[in-house]
């Protein structure tokens, strides 16, 4: 049996351990940007956009300032605003819903599947009204939602599918990467993401050249050309320094995701046949395990026990979006699965530098504390 010794801490996420082996490469790329002075836009941004487009299997990529702006820019470019409804799963980070409200549209929250905690084609279908213009499908925790049926339902209803892939860099469903299914995919490169910058960053991917051009213009003060502002835009551009860091880290993404899968297998093997409820994987899905979410009867007691033994945990999320005070005016229905999950879910340590024996020890400790 592997033990966590008294002085050891098991980090929820260890960015320093991921960056230390890359320090020389990152520093050299940083120095190169410093020499070129291309701090906003420039060669590193253009090169990263090309690489990310190729990686996702889409035709276009526009680097932006973060993964909330990327959603908002997509919705704006699609012409969404007051009077329009956008369907959003209640179990997501609040940024998904924030973007809808920021453009003046109304988020319509729907429940999630009890096994995957993702939006389903059925919940999407049940929420479509005459005002629905789009759904934001969130590939939460690193798993891609059931995109074949979701795309079919959205097509039948004549609404846009926007993908929030902030937690799903490299995840696939039937061999297609997150972000490449809908009219556009939105990514966050917040440092803790599977592909993270050394600060805030984000991107929009799409196969639609017109949409890509609109997003690029909106994110750059509505520019049609340097001196001509054809729309009222904003400033949400990707920094050259962040793009240079992302280029280097992208080379490691597949390896990191493979390690996350190995960690996930350790947890799954340990929890099989126990009271710990793990996330189910859809047939055809290849998740990237951004978070290792489990559900247990007494979440708070387990967190206290783990914390006492030096194991860091997180909660994603403690309140579904419709129960967040800032969004209470959009709280229309009971959403029992999301509401129950919020009371029971916790996230265990999961990162590419996590030793498999440590994951084994964490799992053993979870079972002991239960
Ligand atoms: C599902 C989801 N959507 C959107 C975002 C927003 O990304 P950012 O923090 O880069 O604005 C995040 C980031 O935490 C996220 O997890």
């Amino acid at each position: 049996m592997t033990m966590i010794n008294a002085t050891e801490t098991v980090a929820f996420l260890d960015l320093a351990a991921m960056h230390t082996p890359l320090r020389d490469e990152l520093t050299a790329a940083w120095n190169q940007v410093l020499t070129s002075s291309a701090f906003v836009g420039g060669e590193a941004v253009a090169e990263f956009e090309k690489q990310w487009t190729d990686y996702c299997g889409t035709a276009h990529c526009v680097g932006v300032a973060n993964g909330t702006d990327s959603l908002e820019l997509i919705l704006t470019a699609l012409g969404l605003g007051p009077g329009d409804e956008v369907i959003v799963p209640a179990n997501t980070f609040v940024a998904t819903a924030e973007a809808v409200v920021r453009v003046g549209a109304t988020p319509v929250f729907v429940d999630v599947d009890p096994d995957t905690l993702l939006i389903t084609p059925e919940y999407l279908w049940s929420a479509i009204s005459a005002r629905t213009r789009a759904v934001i499908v969130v590939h939460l925790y690193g798993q891609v939602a059931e995109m074949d049926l979701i795309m079919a339902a959205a097509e039948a209803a004549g609404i846009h599918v926007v993908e929030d892939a902030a937690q799903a860099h490299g995840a696939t469903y039937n061999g297609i990467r997150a972000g490449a299914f809908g009219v556009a995919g939105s990514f966050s490169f917040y440092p803790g993401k599977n592909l993270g910058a050394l600060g805030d960053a984000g991107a929009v991917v799409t196969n639609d050249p017109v949409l890509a051009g609109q997003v690029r213009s909106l994110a750059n003060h509505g520019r049609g050309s340097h001196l001509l502002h054809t729309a009222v835009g904003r400033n949400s551009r990707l920094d050259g320094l962040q793009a240079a860091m992302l280029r280097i880290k992208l080379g490691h993404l597949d390896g990191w995701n493979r390690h996350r899968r190995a960690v996930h297998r350790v947890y799954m093997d340990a929890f099989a046949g126990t009271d710990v409820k793990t996330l189910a994987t859809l047939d055809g899905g290849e998740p990237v395990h951004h978070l290792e979410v489990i559900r247990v009867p007494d979440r708070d007691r387990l967190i206290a026990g783990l914390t006492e033994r030096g194991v860091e945990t997180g909660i994603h999320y403690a309140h579904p979006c419709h129960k967040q005070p800032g969004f209470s005016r959009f709280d229309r229905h009971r959403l029992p699965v999301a509401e129950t999950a919020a009371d029971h879910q916790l996230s265990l340590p999961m990162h590419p530098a996590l030793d498999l024996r440590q994951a084994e020890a964490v799992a053993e400790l979870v079972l002991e504390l239960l």
Side-chain angles (χ1 to χ4, degrees), residues 11 14 35 66 72 76 84 95 103 131 144 148 199 207 256 260 271 282 309:
D14 192 346
T35 304
N66 58 66
E72 192 180 325
T76 307
D84 297 329
V103 302
R131 290 170 178 247
V144 181
D148 46 358
N207 288 318
W256 286 336
R260 286 174 182 272
F271 296 144
L282 291 168
R309 301 282 284 273

Side-chain angles (χ1 to χ4, degrees), residues 168-198:
H169 310 77
T172 61
Y173 180 73
N174 290 341
I176 297 171
R177 286 231 151 102
F181 292 87
V183 66
S186 168
F187 286 93
S188 163
F189 302 119
Y190 178 77
K193 301 301 190 208
N194 288 37
L195 178 61
L198 306 193

Side-chain angles (χ1 to χ4, degrees), residues 13 17 26 55-56 65 94 101 115 134 139 161 175 214 218 250 255-256 260 278 300 330 334 346 362 365:
L13 169 68
L26 293 170
Y55 186 85
C56 294
V94 77
V101 180
D115 297 323
H139 303 309
V161 174
Q214 283 170 324
L218 286 168
L250 178 52
W256 286 336
R260 286 174 182 272
T278 52
D300 295 342
F330 306 110
R334 267 215 74 215
L346 75 146
V362 170
L365 189 53

Side-chain angles (χ1 to χ4, degrees), residues 23 27 30 50 57 91 137 141 144 151 166 181 184 187 192 195 206 211 213 229 256 271 294 312 316 340 355 368:
R23 184 179 287 269
T27 307
W30 193 280
K50 170 85 180 71
N91 184 46
V137 176
Y141 309 139
V144 181
M151 291 305 296
F181 292 87
F187 286 93
L195 178 61
T206 179
L211 188 74
H229 301 264
W256 286 336
F271 296 144
I294 59 168
E312 295 177 354
H316 304 85
T340 307
D355 191 298
E368 181 194 315

Side-chain angles (χ1 to χ4, degrees), residues 65-69 71 92-93 95-96 138 140 164-167 186-190 193 200-202 290 317:
N66 58 66
T68 311
D69 284 3
L71 287 167
T92 180
F93 181 56
T96 316
V138 186
L140 203 66
D164 183 345
Q167 300 188 4
S186 168
F187 286 93
S188 163
F189 302 119
Y190 178 77
K193 301 301 190 208
D200 276 315
H290 174 59
Y317 297 91

